[in-house]
Amino acid sequence: MRNKDFILKGHICYSENSETLTIMEDSYLVCVDGISKGVFREIPEAYRNLPMKDYSGHLVMPGLTDLHVHAPQYAFRGLGMDWELLEWLNTQTFPEESKYGDEEYARKAYRIFAEDLKRSGTTRAAVFATIHVPGTEILMEELELAGVTAYVGKVNMDRNSPEYLIEETKASAEATRRWLSDLKEKEAAGNGFRHVKPILTPRFIPSCTDELMRLLAEIQKEYHLPVQSHLSENFGEIAWVKELCPEAEFYGDAYDRFGLFGEEAPAIMAHCVHSGEREIQRMKERGVYVAHCPQSNTNLSSGIAPIRRYLNEGIHVGLGSDVAGGHSLSIFRAITDAIQESKLRWRLCDDSLKPLTVEEAFYLGTMGGGSFFGRAGSFLEGYEVDALVLDESRMRHPQELTVRERLERFLYLCGDQDVLHKFAARESIF
Amino acid sequence: MRNKDFILKGHICYSENSETLTIMEDSYLVCVDGISKGVFREIPEAYRNLPMKDYSGHLVMPGLTDLHVHAPQYAFRGLGMDWELLEWLNTQTFPEESKYGDEEYARKAYRIFAEDLKRSGTTRAAVFATIHVPGTEILMEELELAGVTAYVGKVNMDRNSPEYLIEETKASAEATRRWLSDLKEKEAAGNGFRHVKPILTPRFIPSCTDELMRLLAEIQKEYHLPVQSHLSENFGEIAWVKELCPEAEFYGDAYDRFGLFGEEAPAIMAHCVHSGEREIQRMKERGVYVAHCPQSNTNLSSGIAPIRRYLNEGIHVGLGSDVAGGHSLSIFRAITDAIQESKLRWRLCDDSLKPLTVEEAFYLGTMGGGSFFGRAGSFLEGYEVDALVLDESRMRHPQELTVRERLERFLYLCGDQDVLHKFAARESIF
């Protein structure tokens, strides 16, 4: 149902910035052509005729952004959890990803992923597919159907990968061009995707030769594509990159040498758990987006990223589920995981970096990641309206709660299954 | 419904010890008078006439034990999560606990707690009430109604507590005696609890004078009561105990000096995050049960307990939700939290202690904590049968999964709401 002009009534909760969480009780969010006109205690004269969706008593908040998720790994979420990163890639990830060369399997698996994402609180996502072009297009179709605004990447990998899941260097670049020109053609014919766009996706440095990176950089310039990849997740991985790219100053420089680190177009780098000083400064200079994936970093024993430091530096940070390094697709869960892990980091590693607050983690899950998509993840005037109506009525309590308390409890104890209605991509999703 | 003799058919999963998780597919758990006669591939001749509950295709596992939970704190679970332990006690915990002097409020709040526990996977629990005797008895009534086998403690606290939640030393001991004799009288009159028993509960050393501890030790000897308390959770708390009890060799010794550390009767000590060598050796000597509460230890920035070390030492360990230090009542969640936190501890603190495996954490949540209640938490022959029939059908997947994979996924991604049927305390609970 197209539903671009409306007013939402409820307890409206949204971030203004990383520190300020605004809660407007019994208020009105005015949405015109999918864009917020602001939140008001009383409906302004000019909007009195708009249809009203009355969710009085309910919490209403912006949709969540998943800044890093591997769609083909959704099938094995919550399995093989006793492995570390590099072993886990070989035993779990690569064998499953190889199946997505089969279009029938890809359709079946990606439909499950997209339908579950549709029912979740996530409205925007940056998604890894696999090396397979038809499978990647199937994923894009399924996400479009699910009403998720997404960047989707055909993965590139031409070295250090099993023979059943590897590309020749030139063939990898050519396949990427074929995919992109196919999307262009569809668009030109009026059959393009409305909410799903391509993003360059070299898997990570160990999987991509310099020559492939050079070819991808050419493609980036030609198509003006953003890029997503992985950075400084795990000590073994970092040592490996150092060995593979002795000429790079640090891990991130191995992307930056090719202009694939935010110089030409925005870049999302997942993890950044162990980034050193020079890498952090380069991330800042290039406007890199950190996709913080606390659950995955815990499951794979990677460590805890210094998110407080990144916020202090003014680096962009959003949250990622990193399914299936993370087992849960829920960005609500990522919000509380981010707080919890920051507390352990403060206690165990560095007590100069204070734990994240509820306000800050809420920001990361909404506006922090949302800003990669433009003006998204808030209800400030001019923002695209992705909205969730929450229902935490199953949480029983003997005492009165404030709206702020209800929101905090929702984040910790409720989740995707407690989203009553979802508005995204200028439509009512459910 | 009393239901003491039956056979459960399904995929039967249970621990034999901390390392061995047995999975018997399409098998039969034989239960006679509430006690397991074993799990069989075919029904033994002698039991052919027992009624069969056929849950073919479903996972069946032992009920979970929550070895440390504060019932009055359930009301504010998931609230005020940005505090550390000692501040959190003063801003959140003590004000709420003071309300349980009001019997009407206690009934309302404890009913919510007990009903939610009833619907969960937890079948056994060691529970803190408050200082109030009538409120404590109300909690016992509600847990009995909910079919939870529980130890419940009237809390003692006679120092360093707000004036609205403190007892005079002698009055605290007398109230405890009044409570216990009341329970005895009810029992003698045939109105006793069937599954709920008292446990001595000095809150923690900072809240209890030596004189109170001495009086409680007398009560323990007279009534042969087990004891539950807190130990070495937080650095500030440990320093405080050192100051308050200069004559104690270490925190645990402050209990042991009075015989309240497992010498006279079994003792549960919650947390043990920062126990030193001598404390660990004493815990081992005294057979102390560690209630490991990973979620709470994270939320309150306490740290991560060395559970691998405790298992290596042969110390008893179970899991606790520690609501409301922990926000979730789910012991399924505690199982995966325990694994996750052990990975971070391995990465960040001490790589000589390997992370916990799924098998080990499953053991902790079932048999590890269950053994505090006797032969509970397994389906080995002679164990009391608490059983959960699981339903993870909402977890969609494109590929085939083994039973072991289904169980692992359940632990990570399903939970209390996915328990289809529960048998406990020789009854069918739902």
Side-chain angles (χ1 to χ4, degrees):
Chain A
M1 179 182 64
R2 301 305 289 267
N3 215 334
K4 295 154 72 175
D5 300 348
F6 58 87
I7 292 172
L8 278 182
K9 182 179 183 192
H11 300 314
I12 318 278
C13 311
Y14 59 98
S15 295
E16 302 209 14
N17 52 53
S18 67
E19 285 164 12
T20 310
L21 172 60
T22 295
I23 296 179
M24 299 268 284
E25 297 186 28
D26 287 318
S27 293
Y28 304 87
L29 163 61
V30 176
C31 175
V32 174
D33 193 27
I35 305 295
S36 171
K37 292 293 177 184
V39 181
F40 307 92
R41 302 258 179 227
E42 293 190 7
I43 306 174
E45 192 57 39
Y47 306 120
R48 289 267 158 91
N49 294 326
L50 291 184
M52 177 148 82
K53 299 167 191 295
D54 188 345
Y55 300 115
S56 292
H58 285 278
L59 304 175
V60 178
M61 62 171 279
L64 300 164
T65 291
D66 188 342
L67 213 50
H68 184 65
V69 57
H70 294 264
Q73 298 178 17
Y74 191 62
F76 64 90
R77 67 200 182 283
L79 301 181
M81 302 294 282
D82 290 349
W83 300 100
E84 225 194 317
L85 176 66
L86 300 178
E87 295 83 356
W88 175 83
L89 287 173
N90 288 313
T91 61
Q92 303 288 321
T93 309
F94 293 151
E96 177 66 22
E97 288 196 13
S98 71
K99 297 182 191 169
Y100 292 74
D102 173 348
E103 293 178 40
E104 198 180 332
Y105 187 82
R107 179 72 68 186
K108 184 177 169 192
Y110 284 149
R111 180 155 297 173
I112 292 172
F113 170 73
E115 287 180 355
D116 284 1
L117 204 56
K118 176 179 177 171
R119 286 298 316 179
S120 80
T122 299
T123 54
R124 306 198 178 225
V127 189
F128 279 54
T130 62
I131 58 174
H132 313 95
V133 171
T136 303
E137 294 191 14
I138 287 167
L139 174 57
M140 295 175 88
E141 289 164 17
E142 293 295 332
L143 288 169
E144 177 89 1
L145 275 173
V148 179
T149 297
Y151 284 105
V152 172
K154 173 233 170 300
V155 173
N156 300 96
M157 44 204 292
D158 73 335
R159 68 172 168 185
N160 296 316
S161 305
E163 62 182 20
Y164 59 80
L165 191 71
I166 194 166
E167 305 166 296
E168 295 289 337
T169 304
K170 279 189 185 153
S172 177
E174 278 161 19
T176 305
R177 282 184 183 281
R178 204 163 59 239
W179 169 53
L180 295 169
S181 67
D182 193 37
L183 295 177
K184 281 254 172 192
E185 272 174 37
K186 280 186 179 151
E187 203 180 326
N191 296 325
F193 296 113
R194 285 181 300 133
H195 307 301
V196 180
K197 293 178 184 172
I199 183 168
L200 267 189
T201 307
R203 184 174 203 114
F204 68 155
I205 293 293
S207 309
C208 301
T209 61
D210 281 5
E211 177 58 12
L212 177 56
M213 295 298 272
R214 203 184 54 72
L215 293 170
L216 294 179
E218 283 179 12
I219 293 173
Q220 183 180 51
K221 285 202 180 74
E222 194 176 330
Y223 285 87
H224 307 291
L225 291 186
V227 61
Q228 61 181 353
S229 196
H230 298 88
L231 183 64
S232 297
E233 177 175 5
N234 168 294
F235 288 128
E237 171 213 23
I238 293 169
W240 196 14
V241 170
K242 200 167 179 177
E243 197 181 294
L244 290 166
C245 304
E247 65 288 4
E249 291 177 50
F250 45 83
Y251 190 161
D253 187 51
Y255 296 106
D256 201 33
R257 289 168 60 230
F258 300 98
L260 295 170
F261 201 61
E263 193 176 22
E264 296 290 331
I268 299 170
M269 289 288 148
H271 308 307
C272 306
V273 176
H274 303 291
S275 296
E277 280 308 311
R278 285 187 302 165
E279 187 161 281
I280 291 172
Q281 290 315 315
R282 193 74 62 86
M283 285 154 58
K284 191 174 166 178
E285 284 165 33
R286 298 288 190 242
V288 163
Y289 273 75
V290 174
H292 176 43
C293 307
Q295 189 172 79
S296 169
N297 298 157
T298 298
N299 285 337
L300 294 170
S301 301
S302 302
I304 305 173
I307 299 307
R308 160 76 55 218
R309 168 81 196 277
Y310 297 155
L311 290 177
N312 289 348
E313 294 276 358
I315 290 172
H316 301 295
V317 186
L319 298 177
S321 67
D322 193 25
V323 158
H327 51 275
S328 169
L329 196 59
S330 168
I331 298 298
F332 291 115
R333 173 76 189 257
I335 286 173
T336 54
D337 282 344
I339 297 171
Q340 292 190 296
E341 301 314 296
S342 75
K343 288 175 174 178
L344 288 177
R345 195 177 195 287
W346 172 80
R347 168 60 71 206
L348 302 174
C349 303
D350 180 357
D351 67 6
S352 75
L353 295 178
K354 279 194 200 161
L356 298 174
T357 62
V358 169
E359 284 73 7
E360 288 167 327
F362 182 90
Y363 163 86
L364 294 178
T366 55
M367 202 175 185
S371 65
F372 188 77
F373 293 80
R375 292 164 80 81
S378 177
F379 296 141
L380 287 171
E381 193 183 345
Y383 274 65
E384 294 181 53
V385 173
D386 293 355
L388 310 177
V389 180
L390 309 182
D391 178 9
E392 84 282 21
S393 55
R394 70 183 174 90
M395 302 301 299
R396 299 191 300 157
H397 46 93
Q399 82 281 43
E400 293 292 313
L401 296 180
T402 65
V403 173
R404 166 66 173 70
E405 286 175 323
R406 288 172 54 194
L407 180 63
E408 182 174 9
R409 173 170 289 183
F410 189 98
L411 298 174
Y412 275 95
L413 284 161
C414 299
D416 288 335
Q417 71 277 26
D418 304 296
V419 177
L420 188 65
H421 297 292
K422 175 170 166 176
F423 302 87
R426 305 190 181 189
E427 302 195 14
S428 170
I429 306 295
F430 64 79
Chain B
M1 180 181 64
R2 301 307 288 265
N3 215 335
K4 295 154 70 174
D5 300 349
F6 58 87
I7 292 172
L8 277 183
K9 182 179 183 191
H11 300 313
I12 318 277
C13 311
Y14 60 97
S15 295
E16 303 208 15
N17 52 54
S18 68
E19 286 164 12
T20 310
L21 172 60
T22 295
I23 295 179
M24 299 269 283
E25 297 187 28
D26 287 318
S27 293
Y28 304 88
L29 164 61
V30 176
C31 175
V32 174
D33 193 27
I35 306 296
S36 171
K37 292 292 177 184
V39 181
F40 307 92
R41 303 258 179 226
E42 294 191 5
I43 306 174
E45 192 58 39
Y47 306 121
R48 289 268 157 90
N49 294 326
L50 290 185
M52 178 147 81
K53 299 169 191 296
D54 188 345
Y55 299 114
S56 291
H58 285 279
L59 304 175
V60 178
M61 63 171 279
L64 300 164
T65 291
D66 189 342
L67 213 50
H68 184 64
V69 57
H70 294 263
Q73 298 178 16
Y74 190 62
F76 64 91
R77 66 199 182 283
L79 301 181
M81 302 294 282
D82 290 348
W83 299 99
E84 222 194 318
L85 176 64
L86 300 178
E87 295 83 357
W88 175 83
L89 287 173
N90 288 313
T91 60
Q92 302 288 321
T93 309
F94 293 151
E96 177 66 22
E97 288 197 13
S98 71
K99 297 182 192 169
Y100 291 75
D102 173 347
E103 294 179 38
E104 199 181 330
Y105 187 83
R107 178 72 69 187
K108 185 177 168 192
Y110 285 149
R111 179 155 297 172
I112 292 172
F113 170 73
E115 287 180 355
D116 284 1
L117 205 55
K118 176 178 177 172
R119 287 297 316 178
S120 79
T122 300
T123 54
R124 303 193 181 229
V127 189
F128 278 55
T130 61
I131 58 174
H132 314 95
V133 171
T136 302
E137 294 190 14
I138 287 168
L139 174 58
M140 295 176 87
E141 289 164 16
E142 293 295 330
L143 288 169
E144 177 90 2
L145 275 173
V148 179
T149 297
Y151 283 106
V152 173
K154 173 229 167 300
V155 173
N156 300 98
M157 45 204 292
D158 73 334
R159 68 172 168 186
N160 296 317
S161 304
E163 61 183 19
Y164 58 81
L165 190 71
I166 194 166
E167 304 166 297
E168 295 290 335
T169 304
K170 279 187 184 152
S172 177
E174 277 160 19
T176 305
R177 282 183 183 280
R178 205 164 60 239
W179 169 54
L180 295 170
S181 67
D182 193 37
L183 296 176
K184 282 256 172 189
E185 270 174 38
K186 279 184 179 151
E187 202 180 326
N191 296 324
F193 296 114
R194 285 181 299 134
H195 308 299
V196 180
K197 293 177 184 172
I199 182 168
L200 267 189
T201 307
R203 183 173 204 116
F204 68 154
I205 293 292
S207 308
C208 300
T209 62
D210 281 6
E211 178 59 12
L212 177 56
M213 295 298 272
R214 201 183 57 72
L215 293 170
L216 293 179
E218 283 179 13
I219 294 173
Q220 183 180 51
K221 285 202 179 74
E222 194 177 329
Y223 286 88
H224 307 291
L225 291 186
V227 62
Q228 61 182 353
S229 196
H230 298 88
L231 183 64
S232 297
E233 176 175 4
N234 168 293
F235 289 128
E237 171 213 22
I238 293 168
W240 196 14
V241 170
K242 200 166 180 178
E243 196 180 295
L244 290 166
C245 303
E247 64 289 2
E249 292 177 50
F250 45 83
Y251 190 161
D253 188 51
Y255 295 106
D256 200 34
R257 290 167 60 228
F258 300 98
L260 295 170
F261 202 61
E263 193 175 23
E264 297 289 331
I268 299 170
M269 289 288 147
H271 308 307
C272 307
V273 176
H274 303 290
S275 295
E277 280 309 312
R278 286 186 303 166
E279 186 162 281
I280 291 172
Q281 290 315 314
R282 193 73 62 82
M283 285 154 58
K284 191 174 168 179
E285 285 165 32
R286 299 287 191 243
V288 163
Y289 273 76
V290 173
H292 176 43
C293 308
Q295 189 172 80
S296 168
N297 297 156
T298 298
N299 285 337
L300 294 170
S301 302
S302 302
I304 305 173
I307 300 306
R308 160 77 55 218
R309 168 81 196 277
Y310 297 154
L311 290 177
N312 289 348
E313 295 275 358
I315 290 172
H316 301 295
V317 186
L319 298 177
S321 67
D322 194 24
V323 158
H327 51 276
S328 169
L329 196 59
S330 169
I331 298 299
F332 291 115
R333 173 77 190 257
I335 287 173
T336 54
D337 282 344
I339 298 171
Q340 292 189 296
E341 300 314 296
S342 75
K343 289 174 173 177
L344 288 176
R345 196 178 194 286
W346 172 80
R347 167 62 69 208
L348 302 174
C349 304
D350 180 358
D351 67 6
S352 75
L353 295 178
K354 279 193 201 162
L356 298 174
T357 62
V358 169
E359 283 74 8
E360 289 169 325
F362 182 90
Y363 163 85
L364 295 179
T366 54
M367 203 176 185
S371 66
F372 188 78
F373 292 80
R375 291 163 79 82
S378 177
F379 295 141
L380 288 171
E381 193 183 345
Y383 274 66
E384 293 180 53
V385 173
D386 292 353
L388 310 177
V389 179
L390 309 182
D391 178 9
E392 83 283 21
S393 56
R394 70 183 173 88
M395 302 301 300
R396 299 191 300 157
H397 46 93
Q399 83 281 43
E400 293 293 313
L401 295 181
T402 65
V403 172
R404 166 64 172 72
E405 286 174 324
R406 288 173 54 193
L407 179 63
E408 183 175 9
R409 173 169 289 184
F410 190 98
L411 298 174
Y412 274 95
L413 283 161
C414 298
D416 288 337
Q417 71 278 25
D418 304 296
V419 177
L420 189 64
H421 296 292
K422 175 170 168 177
F423 302 88
R426 307 191 180 189
E427 301 194 14
S428 170
I429 305 296
F430 64 81

